Amino acid sequence: ATALIAAGVSAVIADSVNATYLRNAINNGLLCLECPGLAAVLKGNADRHRDGGEAVLDLSRGTLAWAGRAFTLTRPPRFLMELIEAGGIEGWARRKLGNAEVLPC
């Protein structure tokens, strides 16, 4: 997750996400969304969509539109979105403590 964030990636959309990876991603402020069925479509359209094409993500509705298809996303609960928006658990803790320095455990 930290390598993706360092590379400028702000979200990952996958068929499914391992619980350990998801926890690490959330702690570091990386949004991970599950989109069942997306992998099969990506594999089936590999030759037609090598550049990835344009995708439209609507978090409020929990949908992803890509390659003329609509997918339903598993939306994270609001408290997890607060962690993501704060840049991870450390940023969230700083906000809650009024930007005080958070000491390592």
Side-chain angles (χ1 to χ4, degrees):
T2 49
L4 291 174
I5 292 168
V9 174
S10 57
V12 171
I13 302 171
D15 217 43
S16 67
V17 180
N18 173 287
T20 303
Y21 184 83
L22 180 60
R23 185 76 244 161
N24 183 42
I26 291 166
N27 285 344
N28 287 286
L30 179 65
L31 177 61
C32 289
L33 300 168
E34 291 187 338
C35 186
L38 180 62
V41 173
L42 290 172
K43 288 177 188 174
N45 290 310
D47 291 334
R48 291 186 335 178
H49 299 288
R50 288 197 185 275
D51 68 351
E54 182 177 326
V56 178
L57 176 63
D58 186 338
L59 280 178
S60 64
R61 290 191 174 135
T63 60
L64 171 72
W66 179 78
R69 297 190 56 176
F71 300 90
T72 301
L73 303 166
T74 302
R75 293 185 298 171
R78 181 73 209 138
F79 73 93
L80 288 181
M81 287 304 296
E82 286 181 26
L83 289 173
I84 299 298
E85 290 165 1
I89 192 75
E90 186 176 334
W92 179 84
R94 284 177 197 252
R95 284 184 184 176
K96 292 295 181 187
L97 296 173
N99 290 324
E101 183 178 346
V102 178
L103 301 175
C105 297

